[in-house]
Structure formats: structure tokens, C-alpha cells
Amino acid sequence: MSLRLMTLALFVWTLAAVSSAQAGDVDAGRRKAEPCAACHGADGNATIVGMPSLAGQPAWFTHWALIKFRDGRRKDPVMSPFAARLSDVDMADLSAYYAAQPPRRRPQAVDAAKAAAGKELASLHHCTSCHRPDLSGQNQVPRLAGQDLEYLLKLLRAYKAQTAGDLEGLMTQAAQPLSAADIENLAHFMAISPASPAP
Ligand code: HEC
Ligand code: HEC
């Protein structure tokens, strides 16, 4: 791993250690998630193509994503208005609820040859050192395993183009060496991976 990446990876753990994330209430989160179900699925496993699943995401990742949508660091015309209305307590409760839901791999057509090439790239580019070897995510690093293919492609292309507002630019940095073909192969690998829950 390059020195720069090691520094970044270390930063993630340090940030995780110092963040005193407020523990959310899962039952309150279930009620508050009702308006989210139309897009993200009742249990956080979305079925609409291009829509991210939230089930099994580390709570800190979801909480950070919601903060970024609320303060405009991350923008999406469909999603941003929903985050604008949430309080910090709402975000903690929603994050705890989704973290507690078992993730399921999306039923989607995935190219096995591309996925095999993507598996090699994921270790070559150290994706697995932050996202974990089974891509289940941890702390502020999201679960990727079994996520929607179109969504994965969209986000990776945005990180490469430096238009995705990510926390401290870690992912933007990680995406810079990737070619368009690498992105395609990596997305197929992530999409085909079994969606085991985060530890
Ligand atoms: C009308 C559809 C819709 C509704 C309702 C909705 N969202 Fe979203 N949400 C989206 C879309 C589209 C994205 C992807 C945005 C992007 O591409 O950056 C998204 C992204 C997210 C993400 C980031 C996921 C990731 O893996 O990066 C989180 C977290 C999230 N939504 C939480 C919520 C919560 C909590 C609610 C309810 C309060 C909610 N959403 C309601 C459409 C919706
Ligand atoms: C230094 C740690 C680190 C490395 C290395 C890394 N990532 Fe990430 N990744 C993150 C973090 C942190 C986020 C969340 C960014 C945010 O939204 O603030 C993320 C987000 C993502 C997302 C968006 C998922 C979602 O639901 O929003 C994808 C896709 C992704 N990474 C794929 C990869 C791939 C492929 C690689 C290897 C080329 C990689 N990552 C390497 C830390 C890393």
C-alpha cells in the first residue's frame, strides 16, 4: 500500500475512535424509516434499479451520509429533500435501524468474467483494506457487497470524476488510478459478492 493510502487508512481508524456517535434507537428508527421505504425498501433492501440498499450498512456510514445530504456536501435532487428534514436524533435512529437489518444481495444480472477481473483489482487497489475482505464495510466505510450494480457504477464514476462529495476525499483519492474498464469490473465484483452483515 502506498504511504499516502496508509495515512488515509489510518485516518479512518483514528476518526472512528474519536467519533462519539450517538447510539440510535432501532424501534424509533423503524417508525422514522416509513417515508424512506418507497425507495429504499421497508427493510432497507431496495428493489428499484439504481437505488441503493441501506440494510446492513455500518451505522456511522449512514449517519455521515445523511449529514452530508443535509448540509449540501452531497447532493441528489431526489434524496436531498428527505435529509433536509431530519434532526441529529432522527439520523442516529435511522442509522441504527438500517444497520440492524440483514442485507440481501440484489437479484441482478452480473457478468462473471468482469467480476473475476474485479476481484483481482479490489486487492491490487486495496479496496478490501478499507471495505474489508468480504466488502461488508466498517465504521464510516460502507458495505459494498451485493449493492445495486447501477448505483455502484454511478458512484465510482463520480469519485473518479471528483464530483462525489465524500468524507475527507478518501474515496476520490482511491478512485483516481482506475480506468473506465477497471470501474466496470470492480462494480460487477461488488454486485456479485454475498451480502454478509457487517460485524
Ligand atoms: C424518493 C426516493 C427516496 C426516498 C423517499 C429516500 N431516498 Fe435515500 N436515496 C435516494 C437516492 C436516489 C439515493 C442515491 C443518491 C446518490 O446517487 O447520491 C439515496 C441515497 C441515500 C443514502 C446514501 C446511501 C449510500 O449507500 O450511499 C442514504 C443513507 C439514504 N438515501 C437514506 C435515506 C433515508 C434515511 C430516507 C428517509 C428519511 C431516504 N433515504 C428516503 C432516494 C430516496
Ligand atoms: C482509504 C480507505 C478506502 C479505500 C482504499 C477505498 N475506499 Fe471506497 N469508500 C471509503 C469511504 C470512507 C467511503 C464513504 C465515502 C463517503 O460517502 O463519505 C467509500 C465509499 C465507496 C463507495 C460508495 C458506496 C456507497 O454506498 O455510497 C464505493 C462504490 C466504493 N467506496 C468502492 C471502492 C473501491 C472499488 C475501492 C478500490 C478501488 C475503494 N472503494 C477503496 C473508503 C475507502
Side-chain angles (χ1 to χ4, degrees), residues 40-85:
H40 295 291
D43 63 352
N45 285 288
T47 52
I48 302 167
V49 173
M51 197 63 75
S53 287
L54 309 177
Q57 283 294 10
W60 288 359
F61 165 73
T62 301
H63 199 142
W64 271 113
L66 291 171
I67 289 173
K68 287 186 302 170
F69 279 122
R70 187 177 61 187
D71 73 14
R73 266 183 288 174
R74 192 172 164 181
K75 291 190 182 72
D76 182 80
V78 178
M79 180 56 214
S80 297
F82 286 91
R85 298 196 270 273

Side-chain angles (χ1 to χ4, degrees), residues 32-134:
K32 292 174 182 180
E34 280 167 18
C36 323
C39 296
H40 295 291
D43 63 352
N45 285 288
T47 52
I48 302 167
V49 173
M51 197 63 75
S53 287
L54 309 177
Q57 283 294 10
W60 288 359
F61 165 73
T62 301
H63 199 142
W64 271 113
L66 291 171
I67 289 173
K68 287 186 302 170
F69 279 122
R70 187 177 61 187
D71 73 14
R73 266 183 288 174
R74 192 172 164 181
K75 291 190 182 72
D76 182 80
V78 178
M79 180 56 214
S80 297
F82 286 91
R85 298 196 270 273
L86 301 175
S87 69
D88 292 344
V89 174
D90 293 340
M91 290 183 182
D93 293 346
L94 286 160
S95 305
Y97 170 66
Y98 286 119
Q101 305 312 305
R104 290 193 300 275
R105 182 167 57 195
R106 297 288 280 270
Q108 53 193 349
V110 174
D111 183 316
K114 287 181 181 169
K119 186 175 198 257
E120 302 287 318
L121 290 165
S123 69
L124 184 72
H125 291 287
H126 311 292
C127 315
T128 44
S129 35
C130 288
H131 290 277
R132 298 178 57 87
D134 63 356

